[in-house]
Structure formats: structure tokens, C-alpha cells
Amino acid sequence: MFLRCLSTLVLLLLGALGAAAKDAKPVVNHCLECHAAFDGKLGDPARQFPDDIHATRGLTCADCHGGNPSQEDAEKAMDRKQGFRGVPKRSEIPQLCARCHSDGAFMRAYNPSLRTDQLTQYGTSVHGKRLRAGDTRVAVCSDCHSPHSIRPASSPLSTVHAPQIPMTCGRCHADPMRMKPYGIPTNQLDDYRGSVHYQTLTGGDLSAPTCATCHGNHGAAPPGVASIERVCGTCHVFQEQLFDQSPHKAPWQAAKIAACLTCHGNHRVEHTGDALLGTGGESLCLRCHAKDDAGGKTAQRIYADLTGLDSNLGDAAAVLDRAERAGMEVGEARLTLSNGREKLIKARVDVHTMIPARVEQNTEEGRKLALQAQQAGQQALAEYAYRRKGLALSLIAIAFVVGTLWLLIRSIERRPPAGEEVTRP
Amino acid sequence: MPRLSQQLREWFQARFGTGTLDWLTHKQVPRHHHTVWYYLGGMTLFLFIVQVVTGILLLLYYRPSPGEAFESVQFIMTKVQFGWLVRGIHAWSANLLIFTAMLHMFSTFLLKAYRKPRELTWMTGCVLFFLFLGFGFSGYLLPWNTLAFFATKVGTQMMAAVPVIGNWLLTFFRGGEDVTGATLTRFFGFHVAIFPALTTAVVGAHLFLVQFFGMSVPPSIERTYSNKPVPSYSFLPSFMLRDLIGWYLALGVLAALAALFPWELGVKADPFAPTPAGIRPEWYFLFLFQTLKLIPGRVLWIEGEQFGVLVFGLAATLWVLIPFLDRNPTGRVGKLITGIGAFAIVYILAMSLWAWRS
């Protein structure tokens, strides 16, 4: 019985394996076998392609280059009459990739969530427009994605994985020779590397902005003066809304002064600080305003508010630290302090309105919270001192009782033993 | 006009006769250079009483639920009058209690006080020690802070290594597969109901046995006074008053610790947060923790953790059964057992120190 069951199972298993083998379509690609024997640019594609996402999805060299990969004979395999395309011209590459990537029905079979408007977007990009105009030096699909080792953007090995994007763009845009004909600067990559965005990106936050976040990827183009605010506003939503309420908005728009980057820069967006306001050495406001004009006075007022609250919060934190080091429980006061810090953050965001009353609303609330936290810390320290005094009194009382007990023992033990005899050493 | 103490004595004697008082006043305690170890039992009892009293006071405000436990302890420490003192004393006393209980147990072992007829005194004492460890383990979770939460997670995980019933034990103590609010409720139940009930009964039995058999005289003292009576003094008042001095001193130490080194509360537990680095159990479990860390993944044919749990389980059982294993304390076996015990003490100290410093 057991043997019969076992043999049935084995037969079923073999049957299933046979069926699976019948369904699998063997991929014959003699291109790789021949090209792997070459060095340099004839051999590299054959070595790179097996790890390419297209190869892993079952596509072959022929899907882009044409020809017949099942032919072992090179002449027959690369017969132009048979549809062999060879190396596509740079100007043809976007259309070549778009044959599949712009075909929604085709792409759905591989990755239903992948967009299929890359070619349309590319057509709106500076690269696309120049290519159409006959400039074949501009970037095409294979320049950014690599021709034969394309990986999904989520792969750290991909040239378009978020931390790789600055280098990918920088390969051309940081090359003075390449950029010379276009007369555009090549310091973007260096500037970006000094930015808070790059620090965040390399700190592990892959959602931090890269070149493509602000310029677009397939539709890459520099944002115009009018749209800079909207571009930054996709992430910095509140700042954008608040800037719309500021007195800078209308005159800057009229004078075609770009919002955001006028104060923060474009590629090198650095950490901000209260010192950028006011009338000190680092002040940005003094670039346009004088110390004693209305703008200068507003800047000074806002600066004083922010630094005042920051200092109050610092004082409160120092008191709470001391109380905590003494072992006192100040968790609630810490919460109050963190609410105060939140008010400071809000006030710093409100700076984009450049309306002192708006900033003061939050700094005032923050100051109250800082004061509360500081008072709680001082109370905790006073309580600690009180406890020490109480402890001293208690220890004196305990010492007194212990002394009295000791004297009592001595007096009892000096008495002659009553009743039964107590043996002594 | 007779003195008040005399009036009280007469009132008591009129109802209960003179037997009890006579027994207490005539009870003698041996007096020799090891007498100091006798006070550790009383000290442990005092600290247990402190635990009961402060525990009851904490119960007035403590709330055993994940949403309220941390906040209620915070409230006790910051808003309740002398709540900080009560919680501080409860936490410090718990540690001192285990420390004195350990000293008491090891001194009893080294002085061979478990010899016939005190086998049951030793065994009830061991059970009490394990109950105190249970109190410590269950009480540690109750403030529901990060450290306690993850230490309990690691600690209860060890239960799974117990052969056959490990998974059942884990689920039973956690109230599910993970440490959750159900675990807190269970630990609270153990801490304030089951362990106190058991401890009260075992403490009663232990005290009765101590009084019934009296204090054991160590073999070395017995040899010194081979045919002569060992010097002694009265239990009441001489020993009892000295005990009282010790209790007062312990109270002073507790007050100083609670006032100068308040027991910190930490940060509220977040079950979804990753386990923070450096999670360690309380100092009295450190030697276990360090040993389990050192045991390789597989020993013979069983898993390392399971092997460790089995070895410690066996060691604890042998420890309780020592009076029956050491039938001739002055003979070779007796000396060997003392040597093994001394090694165990050194091992516990060394492992605890290692774990504490690493």
C-alpha cells in the first residue's frame, strides 16, 4: 500500500516537472556567445547584458538590434535582409526604446505600474528639443540608463537610483568640455554636494531631492523663474503658501525675481539659521535692504523674536538637564519644552510671510511654554534640595533612635540576669 | 500606680497565660563571631515589610494598563505627596531585599545551617528567594518603560527554551505570543496577588521553623565549645533590639538612596520601536544573562539556550536539595559541596561583573 502511494506521488511529481519543462520557452541567444569573445566595445555589451533587466525578463539583443540570435553563423545572424539593425543612431534611440516603453498594453505584461509617457516627456525636455533640432550630443535614453546594464531605479546598481542620479547627470553637466558649446555652468554637481539635500540623500533618505526632483527626469529642463516657487513647494508646501502671503511676492513677481532661490540658492541649498535674518554679518536681508529701512527693521524684529525664543528654550533645557542629572522626573516638562520647540519651528516657517505679527504669534506661545518648562525644572531642583534637607533631618532622627536603642541594650545587659541564667563568653 | 508596660504584660498574661512571653524572653540566641550573619534574615524580613507597605501605597494610584501605567507612575513621582519617596523606597528596597536575601542564603550555606533538623527551613528559604526573584521580574515591567518592556521581552523569551512546556510557558506568562498589555495585566496580578499570597504563607512557615528550631550554631563554633554550652543572649530583648537597630539603619540607607538617587522612570515603552542597544536585565539576573550569551548555539544535540536553561534548572534543584545531599557536612562530601558552593558564588560575582562592564 505504502509503495503504491509512493510510486503515485513520484509519477505525479515527474508529470508536473515534465509539464513545466514543456511550458518553458528556451531563449537562444548566440549573439552573446560570439560577442563575449571580443574585448572592448564589441565584447562589453555581451558581458553586461545578462544582468540587464531586459535580459532577466527574457528579451534578447535582437529585440533592439534586430537580426536572428538563434543563428550560429554570424553572417546569417546579422543579415540586414533579415531585419538586423546594428547599432542604432543616437537620434533614433528614443523612438527605439519607445517602441515598447510607450506601448501601454505591452508594458502592462511586464510592469503595469511603469509610466509609458517617457517619450512624450523627453520631447518637452531641453535634451529632446535639441535632439529634434539635430544636435546628437545631447542625452538620450542610453546615456542616463546605460545601454546594456539597465537596472530598475530601485536597484542601488542602477545609474538612476536616487543616490546615483547626481553623478549620472554630472557626467555631462560637470564636464566643462561637453558643456562648452552650450555656455552653461558646470558647478551644479559641486554645489549640490554642498547642499542640505545631498546631505539628507547620502544620510540614507532616498526621498531627498536629486537633480530629477526639481528638473524632471525624462522632461529635464531648468524651471523658469515663475515656476521655481511651485517646484520647491512640492515638498516645502507651507513655505510656498506662506511666501504667497509675504510682501515680497508681488514685487518680486513683477521684477521677475525668482522666489526661494534668491535667499536659499538653487543647487547649493544650505542649512538655514536665524543669522540669515536680522542685520548681522550673515544677513541675507541686507543684500537688498538697509539696516534702517522698513525691511531692515522687520528683519531685526523677526530675528530678535526667533533668537529670543531659542535662547529661552535653551535656558529651560539646561535647567531640565540639571534636574534630570539629579535624578528628578521631568518627563512632563520635557514634553512642554518639545511643544515650545515646535512653536519655534513654526515661527521659523512663518518667516516666509515676513510679517512680524505672524512670527510673534508662535514665538509668544513658545516663550510661555519655555517658561513653564523652566519653572518645572526649577521646582524639581528646589524639590531635590528639599529632599536632601528632609533626608538630613530623618537621618538625625534615625541616628538618635539607634543611639537610644544601643543605650537601652547596654542598660538591659548590665542588669543582673533574672530568672534563667544567660551564659556569657 | 504600675507602669504601662507592666499593665500591658498583666493584661496579656490574664488572657493568654505566661507561656508565650516566657518562651520569647527565655529563648536564647547563640553568641559567637558569626552571630552577625543571624541579622540578615531579620533585615530581609524588614525589607519585605517595607515592600508590602510601599506597594500598598503605590496601588492607590498605579493603573495596570499600557495606556496608563507609565503615566500613573509619572503622576506618583511628580504629583502625589511623597509619591517620589514611596516609589523610590519601593524600587531601592526591592533591590536591597534581593541583596540581603542573597547574603542570608549564602551565609546560611557556608555556615552549614541547613543541617538536620533545619532542612525545611533551608528549603522554605530557597523558595522565598525564588519568589523574591519573581517579584523583581514581574515588578520590573509595571512602570511600562522602554527598558522594562524590552528586558521583559528578552527575559520571557528564555522561557521558550524550557523543554516540552517552553512555548506554553511563554504564552501563559505573556498572555499571548508577544509582550503586550495582556502581559502587563498578568505580571501585575502575579506581583500584587499571587506572589504576595504565596510569600506570606512561605514566610510564615520559614519564621515558624526558625523559631521552632532556633539559630543553628556553625560546626566550627560547635567544635570550639565541644563539651561546653555555647555563649548566648536573650532573643527578647537583646537580639530583638539589635535587630531593630539594623532595621533602623536599613531605613536610613533606603531614605538616603531614595532622596539622593531617585529611581528613574525612563521613556514610555513603544512596542513598535526597535529593541534599543544595551538591553540588560536587573543586576540579579546578569550572571544568567551573561552565561546564556556565552553558550554556543548548539551544545551536544540540543540548542545552546535550552542547554543553559536545563543546567540552571538542575543547579537550582540541587541547591534546594542540598540538606539531603550533604548528610555529613564535616566529611569529604560536605567539604566538596562547600567548595562547589563557593565556586558558584565566585562564578555569580564574576559573571555579573563581566555583564555589567560589557
Side-chain angles (χ1 to χ4, degrees):
Chain A
M1 182 67 189
F2 172 75
L3 280 175
R4 193 181 295 171
C5 286
L6 190 68
S7 56
T8 313
L9 272 173
V10 169
L11 281 174
L12 280 172
L13 191 65
L14 286 174
L17 285 173
K22 204 174 150 189
D23 288 346
K25 196 171 79 180
V27 178
V28 182
N29 194 350
H30 291 302
C31 314
L32 296 181
E33 289 165 18
C34 294
H35 277 268
F38 292 106
D39 288 328
K41 67 179 187 181
L42 278 178
D44 288 345
R47 285 182 281 279
Q48 292 166 352
F49 189 65
D51 293 326
D52 187 290
I53 187 168
H54 298 99
T56 61
R57 295 291 191 276
L59 274 73
T60 65
C61 311
D63 289 301
C64 294
H65 296 286
N68 187 355
S70 60
Q71 276 289 352
E72 286 186 52
D73 183 278
E75 298 251 327
K76 288 177 184 169
M78 296 189 287
D79 185 356
R80 296 222 173 241
K81 286 179 201 152
Q82 295 284 320
F84 178 66
R85 207 175 288 121
V87 179
K89 288 181 188 162
R90 286 181 66 77
S91 58
E92 291 170 354
I93 289 176
Q95 273 75 24
L96 180 69
C97 299
R99 282 188 311 143
C100 300
H101 281 275
S102 291
D103 183 344
F106 179 80
M107 290 308 295
R108 203 178 302 127
Y110 293 93
N111 185 352
S113 63
L114 200 69
R115 293 173 62 158
T116 50
D117 60 347
Q118 294 94 333
L119 183 65
T120 316
Q121 284 211 24
Y122 181 75
T124 68
S125 73
V126 175
H127 301 138
K129 284 177 184 167
R130 283 191 171 275
L131 186 74
R132 250 199 332 267
D135 181 358
T136 53
R137 291 167 303 178
V138 294
V140 293
C141 314
S142 55
D143 291 312
C144 300
H145 292 279
S146 80
H148 298 107
S149 55
I150 301 173
R151 287 177 170 84
S154 57
S155 163
L157 294 173
S158 167
T159 49
V160 292
H161 184 56
Q164 300 292 336
I165 288 176
M167 276 308 298
T168 300
C169 299
R171 271 192 301 133
C172 299
H173 283 275
D175 182 346
M177 290 304 287
R178 272 181 188 262
M179 291 299 118
K180 200 175 175 185
Y182 304 106
I184 56 175
T186 51
N187 60 347
Q188 299 94 328
L189 183 61
D190 276 348
D191 277 358
Y192 176 75
R193 280 181 172 152
S195 75
V196 65
H197 294 146
Y198 182 72
Q199 281 174 28
T200 314
L201 181 73
T202 49
D205 183 354
L206 298 187
S207 68
T210 61
C211 316
T213 317
C214 301
H215 295 280
N217 42 18
H218 301 103
V225 168
S227 60
I228 283 178
E229 188 189 333
R230 307 288 165 233
V231 169
C232 300
T234 52
C235 299
H236 301 279
V237 181
F238 290 121
Q239 285 85 341
E240 184 203 353
Q241 287 171 1
L242 294 170
F243 180 77
D244 285 347
Q245 300 166 30
S246 85
H248 288 133
K249 171 79 178 176
W252 285 19
Q253 210 166 23
K256 292 199 169 22
I257 298 173
C260 308
L261 71 81
T262 301
C263 297
H264 295 285
N266 49 5
H267 300 108
R268 188 185 284 271
V269 177
E270 291 180 4
H271 271 291
T272 53
D274 296 335
L276 301 184
L277 288 158
T279 52
E282 292 176 54
S283 170
L284 295 174
C285 308
L286 290 190
R287 286 187 195 167
C288 305
H289 293 280
K291 270 186 187 176
D292 50 356
D293 71 10
K297 282 177 184 165
T298 299
Q300 280 184 50
R301 192 169 149 192
I302 294 176
Y303 173 75
D305 264 340
L306 293 177
T307 49
L309 175 56
D310 196 25
S311 154
N312 291 342
L313 290 168
D315 292 346
V319 174
L320 291 181
D321 285 347
R322 272 169 54 210
E324 219 161 47
R325 275 199 299 276
M328 300 301 290
E329 166 54 35
V330 287
E332 219 174 294
R334 284 259 178 233
L335 196 65
T336 310
L337 188 70
S338 99
N339 289 340
R341 288 216 173 281
E342 214 170 274
K343 293 288 175 195
L344 178 62
I345 293 167
K346 282 184 180 168
R348 281 173 173 157
V349 175
D350 277 340
V351 165
H352 294 90
T353 63
M354 279 296 159
I355 302 171
R358 283 288 298 271
V359 178
E360 270 165 28
Q361 201 180 326
N362 276 313
T363 52
E364 198 45 48
E365 284 174 33
R367 200 164 290 131
K368 281 180 194 157
L369 291 168
L371 195 66
Q372 268 179 39
Q374 190 168 3
Q375 279 169 350
Q378 279 160 348
Q379 271 171 14
L381 285 171
E383 168 77 16
Y384 184 66
Y386 167 76
R387 288 180 191 181
R388 287 164 71 111
K389 282 180 200 154
L391 172 67
L393 287 174
S394 312
L395 291 182
I396 291 169
I398 287 172
F400 176 75
V401 174
V402 167
T404 310
L405 283 173
W406 183 245
L407 291 174
L408 181 64
I409 293 169
R410 294 280 299 271
S411 81
I412 289 170
E413 290 182 354
R414 272 203 200 106
R415 282 183 217 150
E420 283 181 32
E421 188 186 340
V422 175
T423 324
R424 296 197 182 281
Chain B
M1 184 70 184
R3 288 200 318 186
L4 181 64
S5 59
Q6 200 181 336
Q7 280 180 326
L8 281 173
R9 183 191 287 260
E10 282 166 7
W11 186 91
F12 187 84
Q13 283 175 347
R15 281 152 188 83
F16 300 102
T18 56
T20 315
L21 277 179
D22 282 351
W23 179 74
L24 279 174
T25 48
H26 289 98
K27 179 178 156 62
Q28 295 292 299
V29 176
R31 194 175 189 179
H32 47 79
H33 61 269
H34 287 308
T35 298
V36 65
W37 301 110
Y38 293 156
Y39 294 106
L40 284 170
M43 188 79 82
T44 309
L45 176 66
F46 168 72
L47 292 169
F48 177 66
I49 294 166
V50 168
Q51 285 305 90
V52 172
V53 174
T54 52
I56 289 170
L57 289 174
L58 288 174
L59 266 181
L60 299 179
Y61 291 96
Y62 177 73
R63 293 175 184 187
S65 76
E68 293 177 302
F70 182 86
E71 286 77 5
S72 65
V73 178
Q74 200 172 39
F75 182 79
I76 289 168
M77 290 177 73
T78 53
K79 299 282 191 298
V80 178
Q81 282 280 330
F82 292 105
W84 63 272
L85 184 64
V86 175
R87 200 232 163 189
I89 286 185
H90 193 76
W92 276 112
S93 177
N95 284 275
L96 283 186
L97 164 67
I98 289 177
F99 179 67
T100 56
M102 250 184 202
L103 283 185
H104 180 48
M105 186 171 71
F106 288 130
S107 62
T108 306
F109 169 78
L110 292 172
L111 296 174
K112 304 247 174 205
Y114 51 75
R115 289 166 297 149
K116 189 182 172 186
R118 295 182 180 80
E119 296 96 331
L120 285 176
T121 320
W122 167 263
M123 291 171 83
T124 49
C126 285
V127 172
L128 273 179
F129 181 70
F130 296 141
L131 281 169
F132 290 149
L133 291 181
F135 266 117
F137 189 63
S138 57
Y140 194 54
L141 178 68
L142 301 190
W144 200 248
N145 58 28
T146 304
L147 208 64
F149 178 83
F150 287 104
T152 305
K153 213 169 173 176
V154 175
T156 47
Q157 191 59 48
M158 286 178 196
M159 291 177 184
V162 177
V164 187
I165 56 163
N167 282 327
W168 178 84
L169 270 182
L170 181 80
T171 316
F172 175 74
F173 279 100
R174 284 185 173 179
E177 285 186 358
D178 222 330
V179 176
T180 58
T183 321
L184 180 66
T185 321
R186 271 176 200 221
F187 274 41
F188 178 71
F190 279 110
H191 195 74
V192 305
I194 297 169
F195 288 151
L198 288 173
T199 309
T200 308
V202 185
V203 162
H206 191 70
L207 286 179
F208 169 76
L209 291 166
V210 169
Q211 295 307 323
F212 188 80
F213 293 117
M215 300 296 194
S216 154
V217 177
S220 61
I221 304 294
E222 274 180 348
R223 278 197 299 276
T224 312
Y225 296 91
S226 49
N227 289 322
K228 290 177 279 179
V230 177
S232 62
Y233 51 13
S234 64
F235 178 75
L236 201 70
S238 293
F239 184 81
M240 199 58 225
L241 284 177
R242 282 181 171 82
D243 233 0
L244 205 58
I245 287 179
W247 294 12
Y248 265 103
L249 291 175
L251 190 65
V253 170
L254 277 179
L257 288 171
L260 298 177
F261 306 103
W263 199 267
E264 69 174 53
L265 179 58
V267 179
K268 186 175 175 172
D270 176 5
F272 300 108
T275 307
I279 282 290
R280 283 190 309 200
E282 284 281 65
W283 62 270
Y284 38 86
F285 289 123
L286 280 181
F287 74 99
L288 274 172
F289 176 69
Q290 187 65 22
T291 309
L292 289 175
K293 266 201 328 193
L294 294 176
I295 294 176
R298 206 151 186 90
V299 180
L300 302 173
W301 65 94
I302 54 174
E303 279 182 29
E305 206 170 62
Q306 204 165 39
F307 176 79
V309 168
L310 279 174
V311 168
F312 279 116
L314 182 69
T317 311
L318 292 176
W319 186 254
V320 176
L321 295 176
I322 273 178
F324 304 104
L325 303 173
D326 187 7
R327 291 189 174 277
N328 180 14
T330 48
R332 277 183 62 192
V333 176
K335 281 177 183 159
L336 180 71
I337 285 177
T338 308
I340 294 171
F343 171 77
I345 294 168
V346 173
Y347 178 83
I348 289 169
L349 278 175
M351 282 292 168
S352 303
L353 205 65
W354 186 1
W356 184 64
R357 288 182 66 89
S358 57

